[in-house]
Amino acid sequence: MPLTILAIESSCDETSVSICKDGQILSNIIATQKVHEKYGGVVPELASRAHIQNIVPVMSEAMKVADCELHQIDGIAYTASPGLIGSLLIGSQFAKSLALSLNKPLIAVNHLEAHVLANLIPEKKPSFPFLCLIVSGGHTQIVLCESPISMKVIGETIDDAAGEAYDKSAKLLGLPYPGGPLIDKYAQLGNANRFLFPEPQIPELNFSFSGVKTSILYFLQNAGKSTIYKKEFLATEEEKKQFIEENRNDICASIQNRIVTILLNKLNKAASITNCKNICIAGGVAANSGLRKNFEEMGIAKNWNTFIPPMEFCTDNAGMIAITGYYKFLHKQFNELSFPTNAKTVA
Ligand code: KG4
Ligand code: ZN
């Protein structure tokens, strides 16, 4: 008997529905909300309203692309946590209503675990145990994954997430939200060794990005003369703008270089400590060209088996919720309709 899962993702500003049959993703429809661009970040209330508008057409499209009918669905998976509470509630209520009306099992999924298991979507999958660096707009963690239903966080950020570091740096450079992909674009044209931003010394496998952000702020305020606050170097708005315009590619390449080395140095440390050779990356920042390239190079140098999900399964998508739902279904991990939706991790 084939096993078909319908999955819903609505944790932030992407409304997505996916159909997965026997572990194969048949459709993964994603509606990205453009409404937030002019505000420089996601506006939670606007995100919830857009999810309400998007969810039915996105589901219809997912069913159409997968050539699937309601009676063929065996289980409903959805993101229960973590995320924006208003956004999560739209997807949760929709999933619960479907499960109730179709009389099918409900499967609550943790968004971060789903980012990790996106690595099980392609044909070439990591074997267990594997390490995964999750780098998204809201989280930065290193996870030891022992099975699809058993994961342990072994390191995480103590302040900003890697995606936040990208987006906040981009904002300082006057780039629109989300700035991560734009820094990536300019970085590919620049000299990554031109400007040196400090690497924070954080114990164990944890990360910190707030110091890097502050050094970039001072660096721009000083028009490139120092990464620490120096009153004598303070530039006028005009000088600062001109400095950014003339050096944008090198600044972006140098920022990217620092963020990527922070991430990969800790991942390397985690691989040594756990003696793990199967190493994955996941989350929106895994779409970053610098991270992908340096990760692959490090993998060759260290003799790792490296895995990165295809681009469409790196940023928020329901395909990763569907694959997680599929494995949870196989392990009969179902949830009651009363299962809580939460901004913090609960599933
Ligand atoms: O995983 P995701 O789609 O959403 C969250 O769960 O947060 O990640 C979004 C983050 C944003 O911060 C965005 O700027 C970043 O991923 N991002 C990138 C790139 N593409 C997306 N950052 C750097 N380079 C990219 N190419
Ligand atoms: Zn995410």
Side-chain angles (χ1 to χ4, degrees):
M1 274 283 282
L3 176 56
T4 304
I5 305 289
L6 180 144
I8 297 162
E9 154 64 26
S10 71
S11 65
C12 192
D13 59 341
E14 258 99 23
T15 319
S16 182
V17 177
S18 170
I19 307 291
C20 160
K21 189 173 166 191
D22 293 334
Q24 301 284 321
I25 304 297
L26 301 184
S27 64
N28 181 40
I29 306 299
I30 306 167
T32 301
Q33 304 174 1
K34 295 278 173 217
V35 62
H36 309 285
E37 266 170 22
K38 59 176 180 272
Y39 299 101
V42 177
V43 183
E45 179 58 29
L46 296 181
S48 313
R49 290 183 201 187
H51 283 306
I52 293 172
Q53 285 173 343
N54 291 342
I55 196 141
V56 172
V58 168
M59 175 176 155
S60 305
E61 182 68 10
M63 300 283 286
K64 199 168 122 197
V65 170
D67 197 15
C68 178
E69 291 181 15
L70 281 177
H71 68 88
Q72 295 170 306
I73 292 167
D74 300 299
I76 314 287
Y78 71 102
T79 308
S81 69
L84 297 172
I85 189 65
S87 292
L88 286 167
L89 281 168
I90 310 301
S92 305
Q93 289 310 114
F94 195 81
K96 288 177 181 183
S97 309
L98 267 179
L100 181 66
S101 56
L102 298 175
N103 194 24
K104 296 292 175 189
L106 181 72
I107 307 161
V109 170
N110 176 299
H111 180 85
L112 296 174
E113 291 183 4
H115 270 305
V116 173
L117 296 187
N119 281 288
L120 300 184
I121 293 174
E123 219 166 287
K124 183 189 160 222
K125 306 178 203 320
S127 50
F128 296 97
F130 64 79
L131 276 183
C132 184
L133 170 71
I134 311 173
V135 272
S136 74
H139 299 86
T140 300
Q141 294 183 337
I142 301 177
V143 170
L144 178 62
C145 186
E146 277 150 350
S147 83
I149 54 162
S150 167
M151 295 184 205
K152 198 161 68 191
V153 177
I154 58 171
E156 61 189 330
T157 182
I158 57 168
D159 43 54
D160 291 348
E164 240 176 317
Y166 265 106
D167 296 339
K168 287 179 177 172
S169 306
K171 199 169 179 185
L172 294 173
L173 290 167
L175 300 172
Y177 178 86
L182 287 170
I183 294 204
D184 191 10
K185 185 176 128 196
Y186 294 122
Q188 291 176 50
L189 307 169
N191 173 2
N193 298 313
R194 168 117 181 262
F195 304 114
L196 198 65
F197 297 106
E199 179 165 6
Q201 301 305 311
I202 306 298
E204 297 166 355
L205 297 174
N206 294 326
F207 303 88
S208 166
F209 291 99
S210 74
V212 178
K213 183 187 63 193
T214 309
S215 71
I216 295 166
L217 171 73
Y218 290 151
F219 171 80
L220 296 175
Q221 284 179 344
N222 294 325
K225 293 196 179 68
S226 167
T227 58
I228 52 173
Y229 181 77
K230 288 260 167 87
K231 203 172 172 196
E232 63 271 29
F233 292 153
L234 277 184
T236 62
E237 271 310 302
E238 214 30 62
E239 287 166 334
K240 190 177 128 187
K241 246 189 178 159
Q242 193 183 342
F243 172 72
I244 293 173
E245 245 164 58
E246 287 170 0
N247 300 283
R248 182 174 289 117
N249 296 343
D250 290 349
I251 299 172
C252 288
S254 303
I255 293 173
Q256 178 142 308
N257 184 27
R258 175 48 72 226
I259 295 175
V260 169
T261 49
I262 292 173
L263 292 170
L264 291 183
N265 285 347
K266 287 294 167 126
L267 187 57
N268 184 30
K269 192 171 172 185
S272 303
I273 291 172
T274 57
N275 208 11
C276 203
K277 289 277 180 201
N278 297 320
I279 321 278
C280 309
I281 58 175
V285 183
N288 182 266
S289 67
L291 180 60
R292 294 171 90 91
K293 180 169 167 282
N294 286 281
F295 171 61
E296 296 287 15
E297 284 173 4
M298 187 174 257
I300 292 168
K302 305 278 173 189
N303 218 7
W304 293 345
N305 305 311
T306 53
F307 303 86
I308 313 175
M311 287 288 198
E312 72 168 307
F313 302 115
C314 281
T315 46
D316 288 349
N317 68 90
M320 65 185 195
I321 308 301
I323 197 80
T324 309
Y326 168 72
Y327 284 103
K328 285 192 145 203
F329 194 111
L330 293 181
H331 287 87
K332 303 214 170 349
Q333 290 202 340
F334 304 129
N335 299 92
E336 300 290 330
L337 289 173
S338 58
F339 192 82
T341 300
N342 205 304
K344 295 209 170 106
T345 291
V346 285

